[in-house]
Amino acid sequence: MCDQRSPPGLAGTSHTMRRRTRNLLGALVLAVVATGVSAATTLRDAAEGLVPMGAALNLGYLTSDATYNSTAAAQYSLLTAENECKWSATEPSQGVFTFDDCDALWHFAQANGMWFRGHNLCWGSYNPAWLEALTPDEKRDALVDHVATVAARYDANVLAWDVVNEAISDSATGADPALKNSTWYPDVPDFVDVAFQTAREACPTCKLFYNDYSIASSQGWSSDKSDAVYALVSDMLARGIPIDGVGFQLHIAVDYGLVDGVAANMARLAALGLEVHVTELDVACGSAPDHDCTWTDAIAEAQADLYGQLLEACLDQPACTNFETWGFTDKYSWLDAQDGSPQHPLPFDEDYVTKDAFDTMVGVLEAAQEAHRPAA
Ligand SMILES: *[C@@H]1O[C@H](CO)[C@@H](O)[C@H](O)[C@H]1NC(C)=O
Ligand SMILES: *[C@@H]1O[C@H](CO)[C@@H](O)[C@H](O)[C@H]1NC(C)=O
């Protein structure tokens, strides 16, 4: 019954991977689970058979912080490399590929029975300087070479790749899925098609995703950009460009009031035959423009409600096949480097103690398990 929620490919990946991992490393996996911070339920156990529970992980912290390492392994069933598989990490000089760090994350996933989600193959920023300096024709060749090489290396052992990240302009409208100026646009106007076609050739079994921010809700302030992404992927499908899903980053704040719009957007993408992944969820305490934050019990509860509502929206939609946060502990959040005051955006606090958001998500997962359980 529960497996109905997972498409065959995803479920197959899970079973194959876990069987292999447990045969080789069963004792290790059990030991890691047994020493996790929460002696009770973990997110991954609560979500077993429902949806992967994911977190973006950072190799430096996995290596240097034993509690980060053991908590990630115990709590999550999917990981994304925060930075280690991006272009500047994997091809720092043209034609010279360095996979050590990306491989290390991939091995951590294998050792702990986790799915691996690749991030990312093509993005318009944070690229190496050599790439920015190429002519348009050279850029197109470099794109094909990079996508083909990276996608082929990890092949089907990756659940999904973010093939293209953040291509759509923030001022796009639904009728005009405008691409933003970047490394790729306007130099390589069809770079999205090129990236997805190359990824499909290099890895026929990988799920290929378009990933972006401010595109989760088809209602409210982000509806124009969400509509533009809907138009982009509809057009790709109509032209036979391979794409399997859309990633909703969901970097949001506690005052985000658009969960109904997220559910509606998931539904219309599902109606196109696409999957949806929640890829980078974090719920900041402070809101734009100043992000000032006073962390209180009331804010913690509002944050927990939002985590719970979004997880429910995902569980209610069969096409939602990953639920993932960007990091997992308030000890390390990319937001704190951007904003003045600590944002407390994640389900574990800075001491790895579970927060209200964690408890609410476990409650939602347990209720979903109960609802899926066949009648006695
Ligand atoms: C995570 O911790 C395990 C157990 O201590 C260790 O063997 C492994 O090397 C660590 N992972 C990384 C990437 O450092
Ligand atoms: C984007 O690039 C085009 C062509 O290079 C240029 O005309 C336009 O002003 C740029 N737009 C922005 C917002 O920078």
Side-chain angles (χ1 to χ4, degrees):
M1 276 295 230
C2 298
D3 285 349
Q4 271 183 338
R5 285 202 35 76
S6 304
L10 193 151
T13 304
S14 159
H15 294 149
T16 307
M17 175 179 69
R18 292 207 173 154
R19 205 161 31 236
R20 186 168 64 232
T21 302
R22 292 218 165 117
N23 285 345
L24 292 174
L25 291 164
L28 173 63
V29 172
L30 289 176
V32 169
V33 170
T35 56
V37 286
S38 169
T41 311
T42 64
L43 289 171
R44 66 182 290 171
D45 285 349
E48 179 76 38
L50 295 173
V51 71
M53 293 298 285
L57 301 183
N58 179 295
L59 182 59
Y61 304 142
L62 281 177
T63 310
S64 66
D65 183 337
T67 311
Y68 179 96
N69 179 322
S70 62
T71 306
Q75 293 287 342
Y76 292 94
S77 55
L78 179 149
L79 75 81
T80 293
E82 186 177 10
N83 295 309
E84 293 78 354
C85 306
K86 290 174 180 169
W87 196 309
S88 47
T90 52
E91 195 183 0
S93 307
Q94 187 166 16
V96 179
F97 288 87
T98 51
F99 289 117
D100 289 359
D101 290 356
C102 190
D103 282 0
L105 269 296
W106 185 85
H107 285 300
F108 185 84
Q110 294 293 300
N112 293 291
M114 303 164 88
W115 283 283
F116 183 88
R117 199 174 180 287
H119 176 84
N120 58 62
L121 296 174
C122 173
W123 190 11
S125 51
Y126 295 91
N127 285 315
W130 66 261
L131 182 58
E132 309 287 353
L134 300 181
T135 66
D137 282 351
E138 290 168 344
K139 274 188 188 174
R140 170 187 277 268
D141 291 346
L143 177 63
V144 170
D145 189 44
H146 184 82
V147 171
T149 303
V150 179
R153 177 179 183 82
Y154 296 99
D155 199 42
N157 293 311
V158 173
L159 172 63
W161 271 105
D162 288 328
V163 177
V164 172
N165 194 43
E166 300 181 2
I168 293 288
S169 165
D170 292 344
S171 53
T173 65
D176 167 29
L179 299 169
K180 69 173 68 164
N181 286 356
S182 73
T183 309
W184 300 110
Y185 190 83
D187 277 3
V188 186
D190 60 344
F191 76 95
V192 175
D193 291 1
V194 171
F196 276 88
Q197 284 168 320
T198 305
R200 174 59 82 235
E201 282 166 28
C203 185
T205 57
C206 291
K207 306 257 184 190
L208 308 181
F209 274 67
Y210 176 80
N211 188 54
D212 210 334
Y213 62 89
S214 298
I215 62 154
S217 173
S218 56
Q219 300 160 12
W221 58 266
S222 69
S223 61
D224 276 354
K225 191 171 171 185
S226 301
D227 289 351
V229 168
Y230 180 78
L232 173 82
V233 299
S234 299
D235 179 59
M236 288 171 69
L237 289 167
R239 291 183 298 108
I241 305 298
I243 179 168
D244 300 299
V246 175
F248 293 178
Q249 292 188 2
L250 276 164
H251 295 294
I252 58 177
V254 287
D255 62 353
Y256 187 83
L258 299 175
V259 176
D260 288 349
V262 174
N265 201 25
M266 284 180 178
R268 71 174 171 170
L269 291 165
L272 295 177
L274 295 174
E275 293 179 38
V276 175
H277 283 179
V278 173
T279 54
E280 306 187 14
L281 176 61
D282 47 19
V283 180
C285 166
S287 300
D290 54 23
H291 304 280
D292 280 348
C293 164
T294 305
W295 184 246
T296 62
D297 288 351
I299 297 275
E301 281 169 31
Q303 180 186 64
D305 282 350
L306 205 38
Y307 268 105
Q309 289 168 22
L310 287 165
L311 181 55
E312 274 177 350
C314 180
L315 294 174
D316 285 347
Q317 172 51 255
C320 181
T321 49
N322 178 34
F323 194 82
E324 179 170 16
T325 49
W326 201 247
F328 65 95
T329 165
D330 290 343
K331 186 173 182 181
Y332 310 116
S333 168
W334 72 293
L335 292 170
D336 291 348
Q338 320 243 319
D339 303 327
S341 42
Q343 295 299 313
H344 308 274
L346 292 160
F348 292 81
D349 76 8
E350 48 286 331
D351 297 317
Y352 299 99
V353 175
T354 57
K355 294 164 60 181
D356 291 349
F358 174 95
D359 295 338
T360 300
M361 287 195 287
V362 168
V364 166
L365 292 166
E366 287 177 344
Q369 296 286 9
E370 200 58 41
H372 279 85
R373 201 157 285 148

